[in-house]
Amino acid sequence: MYRIIAKERLAENIHLLEVEAPEVARKAQPGQFVVVRVDEEGERIPLTIADWDVGKGSITIILLAVGTTTRKLARLNAGDSILNFVGPLGRPTEIDRFGTVICIAGGVGTASIFPISRLLKARQNEVIAIMGARTRELIFWEDHLRSVSHQLIVTTDDGSYGRKGVVTEPLKEFLGARKVDRVIAIGPAIMMKFCSLTTEPAGVKTIVSLNPIMVDGTGMCGCCRVSVGGETKFACVDGPDFDGHEVDWDLLMKRQRAYLDEEKESLKLWEGKAVRKQGG
Amino acid sequence: MAEKIKLNLNRVSMPKQAAAIRRRNFNEVALGYSEQQAIKEAGRCIQCKKPGCIKGCPVEVSIPEFIKAVHEGDMPEAVRIIKSTNSLPGICGRVCPQETQCEGSCALGKKGAPSAIGRLERYVADWERAHPEVSEKQKERVAFNGKKVAIVGSGPAGLTCAADLAKLGYEVTIFEAFHVAGGVLMYGIPEFRLPKDIVQAEVDYVRSLGVEIKLDHVIGKIATVDELLQNGYHAVFLAPGAGAPMFLNIPGENLSGIYSANEFLTRTNLMKAYQFPEYDTPIKAGERVAVVGGGNVAMDASRCALRLGAEEVHLIYRRSEVEMPARAEERENAKEEGVIFRLLTNPDRFVGDEQGKVNAVECYEMELGEPDESGRRRPIRKAGTEFTVPVDTVIVALGTKPNPIVPSTTEGLEVSRWGTVKADEDTGKTSKDRVWCGGDMATGAATVISAMGAGKRAAANMNAYFNG
């Protein structure tokens, strides 16, 4: 059992959990993830490591409460426990002194981009951060991201905060205006796809963090297979970071939707149970 | 046993669930002997002076001796005899390929049916579980000898090595990547062939010897083998299994609805997807299923698919049934349950719909040519035999290769060109000081009992190393 030592609601449906896992904390690096299983009936799902504290022996995860597991997690509070918490999994993000790096975060992708930007900045890169959200209420960790970048642009689809529009617009402007050595884009598949399409003509290496469905997270089942450069890779052990220009995005998005019906059915059942529990 | 025994060449048959019923449930297929049946079957053993059966057993159970105890109705003694060399008898009695091991070397087998050693072992193990007071009495903890051993993986090799070392006074910690102990016994072999409460009872027995099992620990990630050796462990036994699934590498293989057998079985067995939505993990069993492969795992996957509600399960295998690696018993069970064998058939490519979901597999026929390096006749494509099988689920059961996480993070560990860790066959010793390896990680995919044998030999060799 892994105890939750802090919980914070960051935005509508977006929650932060700080979980006691000292051994994982000692080894965590930017770009890695954990696999969690909330309870005995639970599914195993991957969640990015947003931060860690070796002194406290804790790992911070941030989740968007949309499915059964993430809704279960969202209901937990400090003092509660998670049944299983495995990590740190996946290869760490490649970090070097690249020069100028644009870090793009879409939605909860901010959780992944934060520790990457922090290390990039510490390694003396010029870090430009772009964070995008649908609307103002969904923005979180703006200060965090500001503190680990030299410049931060915020966009919202509806213009309720920052610049109106999507992240690829400021990205395109930067690419036209200055030398950019690398782009790291993390967020929904569709956002990562369009970031990659934007940087491709400019020939700027673009790293994305893929988020297919996983089961074990250790290379054992092949559920997370993705096609990169025409080759099948397992995102859990070969990734999750890949070259965005080589990813077969349509395949990824189709595989992500493989269980939509089942996900709805599971959530409906769980919601029914949760309501009954609250009532009783 | 006093009077002269007349050879009885027919074994006592074991009751099974009827095929028409069991094909739709996950309850155990074979129901086990009653005490009366066990005693009767035990009476067939002719108690050879030089028993071949023991030589046929990778963990060298004193087979005639325990069978004698069963025949005399002395079950506690039978338990004691088996458990002195085999810590997992309930598992072995169910999943060992006895026909090629102990029973394959039985003298009775020369004239008729060999002694039903597996069924008797299973009977004894099940008897013990029903009589916990007996096993409690037999428990004796050995004093700590001052040496700590780390074991990577809690499958058959890891559990066996751990139990043997604990019995010798070692302090043993097993690191398991999954959320339950048992490895392939939990995620791979289905409930209807090996009930999970039986696996857990045998895991609990290993724990009762003083072995600590740390779940959720992926060695190579949370700690490396070198870190284990630096942090107080005197030796490490690597038994992480052959984790990585192999695919056909043909077009369309990443369509959704196409599973590796590992994924299909893990979802079903470990994550209990057959109880979805009560359990959160879903699975798409589909109505028409194709399973590609001819091993025991292919049989397990086919039979799971039926139980998950498939109307038709087509087993696609490129050679003929003679060359199939699956056990005769499992092939028989699968056929009885209605699995359709499509032999000398090979998939060419998978076809899907606009949503990226598989809806057909295009196949062609094969014929057998000259024997290849495996000694089996090589399958050759027959021209102009292409045909299409409409399916909504495909399970690829072509075997596994070693998971690279441990080898790639361990300094000085020699690996073969197949990715297996090089380990001495008799001792399990690797190229790296204080590191042993056994099971599928050393041999490539093999059986539960051969992994157990490797665990046993490694434990003995480690003990010799520390006392040498």
Side-chain angles (χ1 to χ4, degrees):
Chain A
M1 298 283 269
Y2 302 81
R3 208 166 59 90
I4 296 167
I5 54 179
K7 189 218 180 153
E8 193 184 336
R9 184 179 165 280
L10 297 174
E12 177 70 36
N13 274 345
I14 300 176
H15 302 266
L16 174 153
L17 294 175
E18 190 179 354
V19 182
E20 211 169 57
E23 290 171 272
V24 185
R26 270 202 296 275
K27 290 294 208 141
Q29 292 178 67
Q32 290 188 298
F33 62 93
V34 290
V35 162
V36 302
R37 176 173 168 263
V38 183
D39 53 30
E40 219 31 74
E41 292 78 33
E43 197 174 359
R44 293 170 65 97
I45 66 154
L47 290 167
T48 306
I49 296 174
D51 202 359
W52 57 93
D53 187 326
V54 180
K56 275 159 86 181
S58 68
I59 293 281
T60 298
I61 51 176
I62 290 176
L63 52 105
L64 180 66
V66 283
T68 304
T69 302
T70 46
R71 293 281 294 273
K72 281 179 176 176
L73 283 168
R75 284 171 65 111
L76 299 177
N77 289 302
D80 294 337
S81 291
I82 298 172
L83 193 53
N84 301 102
F85 195 87
V86 193
L89 300 174
R91 293 171 191 252
T93 298
E94 183 198 358
I95 306 249
D96 208 333
R97 196 168 166 185
F98 299 114
T100 299
V101 183
I102 302 183
C103 292
I104 311 171
V108 281
T110 301
S112 319
I113 281 292
F114 167 69
I116 293 170
S117 301
R118 180 170 60 192
L119 190 55
L120 282 169
K121 194 179 175 195
R123 296 276 167 86
Q124 281 148 39
N125 290 282
E126 175 78 14
V127 178
I128 300 168
I130 306 174
M131 67 191 291
R134 221 169 55 238
T135 186
R136 178 179 196 141
E137 277 68 48
L138 297 175
I139 302 252
F140 67 91
W141 272 21
E142 185 186 347
D143 292 346
H144 274 67
L145 212 48
R146 195 179 303 283
S147 70
V148 296
S149 58
H150 297 92
Q151 191 181 346
L152 172 70
I153 313 282
V154 182
T155 68
T156 52
D157 296 2
D158 63 1
S160 55
Y161 186 70
R163 213 176 129 158
K164 183 174 175 5
V166 291
V167 292
T168 46
E169 290 157 19
L171 170 63
K172 206 176 200 166
E173 289 165 18
F174 279 118
L175 291 172
R178 58 184 296 173
K179 181 172 175 287
V180 176
D181 297 289
R182 182 170 284 230
V183 170
I184 302 176
I186 305 179
I190 190 78
M191 178 216 107
M192 294 191 284
K193 174 184 173 175
F194 280 100
C195 289
S196 302
L197 288 175
T198 305
T199 57
E200 200 167 7
V204 177
K205 177 111 169 165
T206 301
I207 301 298
V208 293
S209 175
L210 301 188
N211 49 353
I213 299 171
M214 291 185 187
V215 183
D216 66 289
T218 63
M220 213 202 79
C221 79
C223 175
C224 67
R225 57 196 195 274
V226 292
S227 178
V228 182
E231 257 183 81
T232 295
K233 300 275 182 192
F234 291 180
C236 66
V237 286
D238 300 321
D241 288 4
F242 293 100
D243 183 334
H245 298 151
E246 303 216 310
V247 171
D248 182 339
W249 293 103
D250 294 339
L251 177 74
L252 173 73
M253 287 186 265
K254 280 174 180 164
R255 287 187 66 85
Q256 283 176 333
R257 286 193 290 267
Y259 293 100
L260 273 191
D261 295 342
E262 287 81 4
E263 283 161 12
K264 279 183 202 142
E265 186 186 351
S266 168
L267 190 59
K268 205 172 137 198
L269 182 83
W270 178 79
E271 277 173 339
K273 277 189 205 159
V275 168
R276 277 200 300 282
K277 221 182 255 176
Q278 257 175 353
Chain B
M1 299 275 287
E3 74 272 33
K4 188 163 167 27
I5 314 153
K6 190 168 162 279
L7 280 188
N8 178 352
L9 299 176
N10 298 310
R11 52 169 59 180
V12 177
S13 63
M14 179 159 62
K16 288 203 278 194
Q17 270 198 79
I21 296 168
R22 71 179 193 242
R23 69 195 290 273
R24 292 298 189 212
N25 73 54
F26 274 87
N27 300 332
E28 194 170 13
V29 168
L31 301 172
Y33 279 154
S34 65
E35 181 172 357
Q36 210 183 2
Q37 287 168 321
I39 291 175
K40 188 171 170 211
E41 176 60 32
R44 293 180 59 232
C45 172
I46 54 171
Q47 297 289 318
C48 300
K49 287 277 177 302
K50 285 182 182 164
C53 53
I54 300 179
K55 280 198 197 116
C57 173
V59 297
E60 295 175 355
V61 170
S62 298
I63 293 163
E65 221 186 314
F66 99 75
I67 292 183
K68 183 161 178 278
V70 173
H71 188 55
E72 288 163 356
D74 188 353
M75 302 312 164
E77 178 62 5
V79 171
R80 193 196 59 74
I81 294 162
I82 293 178
K83 280 208 155 168
S84 68
T85 58
N86 182 356
S87 301
L88 314 172
I91 294 164
C92 290
R94 286 173 168 82
V95 303
C96 274
Q98 289 100 7
E99 65 280 5
T100 59
Q101 300 187 330
C102 54
E103 293 177 12
S105 315
C106 172
L108 277 177
K110 291 180 188 116
K111 293 189 169 154
S115 188
I117 300 165
R119 295 172 183 180
L120 290 171
E121 182 179 39
R122 168 191 166 136
Y123 174 77
V124 172
D126 290 358
W127 183 92
E128 190 202 11
R129 248 192 353 276
H131 298 81
E133 67 286 355
V134 175
S135 46
E136 203 49 46
K137 233 191 293 174
Q138 294 185 342
K139 215 174 285 171
E140 42 185 292
R141 284 282 276 276
V142 187
F144 179 41
N145 70 4
K147 296 282 185 240
K148 286 171 69 177
V149 176
I151 294 180
V152 181
S154 66
L159 288 172
T160 302
C161 186
D164 280 19
L165 289 172
K167 285 175 186 168
L168 292 166
Y170 291 82
E171 190 180 301
V172 183
T173 307
I174 300 181
F175 295 91
E176 166 57 45
F178 265 132
H179 54 264
V180 290
V184 72
L185 308 168
M186 290 303 287
Y187 75 73
I189 304 175
E191 176 79 17
F192 57 81
R193 217 150 65 76
L194 180 62
K196 300 309 149 212
D197 58 351
I198 289 169
V199 179
Q200 288 312 305
E202 304 210 327
V203 169
D204 285 344
Y205 166 70
V206 176
R207 281 200 180 98
S208 78
L209 299 169
V211 172
E212 186 192 4
I213 304 181
K214 287 192 170 193
L215 305 172
D216 299 336
H217 276 65
V218 182
I219 296 304
K221 292 290 183 185
I222 199 160
T224 62
V225 170
D226 290 286
E227 284 166 334
L228 294 174
L229 290 169
Q230 285 152 21
N231 294 322
Y233 291 100
H234 298 92
V236 176
F237 178 57
L238 301 174
M246 299 209 267
F247 286 93
L248 291 146
N249 296 316
I250 60 174
E253 203 161 26
N254 292 332
L255 289 164
S256 58
I258 302 181
Y259 294 91
S260 73
N262 262 5
E263 180 185 356
F264 193 82
L265 293 172
T266 300
R267 284 181 181 269
T268 308
N269 303 321
L270 183 76
M271 305 310 296
K272 301 209 180 338
Y274 64 92
Q275 294 180 55
F276 179 85
E278 281 70 35
Y279 281 74
D280 298 344
T281 305
I283 194 158
K284 290 205 187 268
E287 285 177 4
R288 290 176 57 94
V289 179
V291 178
V292 184
N296 289 319
V297 174
M299 299 301 140
D300 285 346
S302 303
R303 299 170 70 198
C304 277
L306 279 177
R307 283 157 174 80
L308 287 161
E311 299 288 323
E312 279 181 22
V313 176
H314 300 258
L315 184 91
I316 297 176
Y317 181 57
R318 62 191 184 132
R319 304 183 199 239
S320 72
E321 192 171 338
V322 186
E323 290 85 20
M324 264 195 183
R327 292 178 68 188
E329 188 187 328
E330 300 309 324
R331 296 203 302 267
E332 226 33 66
N333 280 329
K335 281 190 204 161
E336 278 173 23
E337 290 168 14
V339 173
I340 304 158
F341 282 37
R342 307 192 73 143
L343 304 168
L344 291 164
T345 300
N346 210 29
D348 206 5
R349 64 190 203 106
F350 300 104
V351 186
D353 61 17
E354 311 85 72
Q355 274 93 51
K357 210 183 154 334
V358 67
N359 58 20
V361 46
E362 291 180 5
C363 301
Y364 52 86
E365 288 175 21
M366 309 288 276
E367 58 192 346
L368 294 178
E370 295 300 308
D372 62 14
E373 63 274 20
S374 75
R376 296 178 298 177
R377 292 178 65 192
R378 186 191 299 275
I380 303 164
R381 182 172 184 155
K382 260 165 93 176
T385 59
E386 291 73 18
F387 64 100
T388 299
V389 186
V391 292
D392 37 32
T393 296
V394 175
I395 303 162
V396 181
L398 293 177
T400 55
K401 53 187 187 239
N403 189 312
I405 293 181
V406 170
S408 67
T409 54
T410 308
E411 292 279 327
L413 190 66
E414 272 182 39
V415 175
S416 77
R417 64 191 169 102
W418 299 280
T420 51
V421 170
K422 286 188 184 171
D424 184 281
E425 217 173 294
D426 297 325
T427 63
K429 188 70 191 60
T430 69
S431 58
K432 190 175 170 70
D433 192 32
R434 295 191 285 150
V435 177
W436 281 257
C437 179
D440 286 0
M441 179 51 91
T443 58
T447 60
V448 167
I449 187 68
S450 63
M452 289 177 59
K456 205 166 193 61
R457 291 191 298 276
N461 189 253
M462 274 186 195
N463 190 46
Y465 168 85
F466 285 118
N467 293 300

